[in-house]
Amino acid sequence: MNLLIVGPQASGKGTQAEKLVDKFNLAHIEMGGLLRNMAKEDSSFGKQVAELINSGQLVPDEMIIEVINKYLANIGKLDGILFDGFPRIVSQAEYFDNFLSQKGQKLDLVVYLTLPREEVFKRLINRRICSQCGKVFNILTNPPKVEGICDFCGGALVIREDDTPEKINKRLDGFENKTVPMIEYYKQKGIVEKLDGNRPIEVIFDDVVERMKKRGLL
Ligand code: AMP
């Protein structure tokens, strides 16, 4: 079973991805995380990736494909893979479909979480992240016990560098202009399930599971 989860920033993609991976024994490929790790490496590839990410640009397809090929070559045998952050644009989706079909596989489902722009803003503006352990809080919906301090490690909570209104707008424009057309491409293939991401975590998760059942994936 191969799944792809997509949605705008702060749509709860990461949370749902973790739950799906745990429940169904899936491998989880999170492209943003893989790239952020590479960006820390002291290599020319790492430096190039860091520059692109920090300036809010997409990493070119040739580099993304190199990363994904390396990752897939090393993956163990599991019940399936949950892709998150790849493919992200139509050209990557076309490459990916070709790649899977050469292996006698296909993408079975695209889980598309939606969230209105105002809600994305509200979530991101109120997001705080621990400067030490990386745990994420939200001062409205999931506040720390003591203001400004991480419940888990006592580290200082900070605002992420890219959670400024201009950068949020830039990222959302990228989603609308480049990722939404890719979702449309998969919609034509009849494999997209669109879900309202503005609901409690468990309600969304039950909805995803229901739709997987309806499609005979479980
Ligand atoms: P994310 O955590 O998914 O928002 O990704 C962080 C950054 O990594 C993005 O702003 C892009 O610069 C880069 N990135 C992640 N996935 C891709 C992809 N599939 N194609 C190109 N760039 C990507």
Side-chain angles (χ1 to χ4, degrees):
M1 174 164 66
N2 294 307
L3 307 179
L4 167 64
I5 189 159
V6 287
Q9 288 73 24
S11 56
K13 232 166 19 111
T15 308
Q16 295 299 327
E18 270 174 30
K19 291 176 74 67
L20 286 164
V21 162
D22 275 0
K23 185 157 172 118
F24 302 115
N25 187 32
L26 305 172
H28 183 194
I29 297 192
E30 200 235 323
M31 185 54 80
L34 285 179
L35 292 172
R36 273 188 291 276
N37 281 340
M38 286 183 169
K40 290 182 202 149
E41 285 170 13
D42 188 21
S43 63
S44 81
F45 194 94
K47 283 183 191 137
Q48 249 176 298
V49 169
E51 238 179 79
L52 290 161
I53 294 183
N54 294 340
S55 61
Q57 295 178 71
L58 285 182
V59 174
D61 285 359
E62 311 82 71
M63 291 172 83
I64 293 290
I65 285 164
E66 198 178 321
V67 173
I68 203 83
N69 283 344
K70 210 184 281 172
Y71 192 87
L72 289 176
N74 291 325
I75 213 158
K77 191 135 185 60
L78 287 137
D79 297 337
I81 304 179
L82 176 73
F83 292 85
D84 175 353
F86 172 86
R88 198 176 183 113
I89 54 180
V90 173
S91 56
Q92 292 178 9
E94 287 169 346
Y95 171 86
F96 185 52
D97 288 354
N98 235 325
F99 175 93
L100 287 176
S101 84
Q102 277 169 20
K103 301 206 171 310
Q105 289 196 39
K106 62 178 169 45
L107 184 61
D108 298 291
L109 179 66
V110 177
V111 175
Y112 174 23
L113 294 178
T114 64
L115 200 66
R117 211 168 168 118
E118 321 78 74
E119 185 61 29
V120 170
F121 260 88
K122 206 164 96 194
R123 289 189 186 182
L124 292 182
I125 294 289
N126 290 300
R127 178 156 81 175
R128 297 292 180 274
I129 183 162
C130 175
S131 54
Q132 281 181 34
C133 73
K135 203 84 191 162
V136 179
F137 296 83
N138 183 294
I139 52 179
L140 292 183
T141 56
N142 176 30
K145 293 193 185 87
V146 180
E147 199 186 319
I149 304 290
C150 176
D151 289 355
F152 299 89
C153 75
L157 300 184
V158 295
I159 297 176
R160 241 174 71 163
E161 220 189 279
D162 53 356
D163 284 349
T164 61
E166 313 84 76
K167 289 186 184 166
I168 295 170
N169 263 322
K170 190 168 177 192
R171 282 145 71 203
L172 282 174
D173 288 345
F175 179 79
E176 277 161 23
N177 298 332
K178 297 201 163 153
T179 303
V180 169
M182 180 198 75
I183 297 168
E184 195 51 45
Y185 162 93
Y186 280 125
K187 214 165 136 196
Q188 306 286 329
K189 295 180 183 281
I191 58 167
V192 176
E193 289 287 348
K194 186 172 177 181
L195 294 100
D196 177 5
N198 206 3
R199 296 175 295 167
I201 291 168
E202 290 306 327
V203 174
I204 299 173
F205 186 65
D206 290 347
D207 196 0
V208 175
V209 172
E210 267 318 299
R211 291 176 195 229
M212 289 168 75
K213 282 188 189 149
K214 194 185 79 186
R215 286 178 175 264
L217 294 173
L218 298 176

